[in-house]
Amino acid sequence: MWTNEVKIGGQLFKKFDLKESAAGNPYINFTVLSTKEKKKQYTNMVAFGDAANVMEQVKEGDYLTIDGELSTSSYEKDGKKVYSTNVITHLITLG
């Protein structure tokens, strides 16, 4: 059996405004910066529901650990297909 599980720890690099989906569910996009051996990794994340409300309280630079799953998608931009990979958060641990 295959699983799609991700665990990333790092600092909140960038947070966008809390938004609502068409169905009225809260969500927020944010980026986490993690560093290993002087190499910086920026990971795009999306939190929904209660996790999105938790992210409203987190400030840029705060340390957090994210448990979630990878999600890939694509869209058209300027006539070209663009691929995107995000982590959908399930659990956020602060500190």
Side-chain angles (χ1 to χ4, degrees), residues 6-12 32-36 41 43 45 62-67 93 95:
V6 175
K7 184 171 199 132
I8 295 176
Q11 291 179 297
L12 178 61
V32 170
L33 166 63
S34 50
T35 307
K36 183 176 181 180
Q41 177 69 46
T43 306
M45 314 246 177
D62 287 352
Y63 187 84
L64 49 121
T65 303
I66 304 293
D67 291 286
T93 306

Side-chain angles (χ1 to χ4, degrees), residues 34-54:
S34 50
T35 307
K36 183 176 181 180
E37 299 175 6
K38 298 183 183 180
K39 182 179 179 190
K40 293 180 179 181
Q41 177 69 46
Y42 298 89
T43 306
N44 294 321
M45 314 246 177
V46 181
F48 296 94
D50 290 339
N53 291 325
V54 167

Side-chain angles (χ1 to χ4, degrees), residues 20-37:
E20 283 191 3
S21 68
N25 298 317
Y27 73 95
I28 192 166
N29 294 294
F30 60 101
T31 304
V32 170
L33 166 63
S34 50
T35 307
K36 183 176 181 180
E37 299 175 6

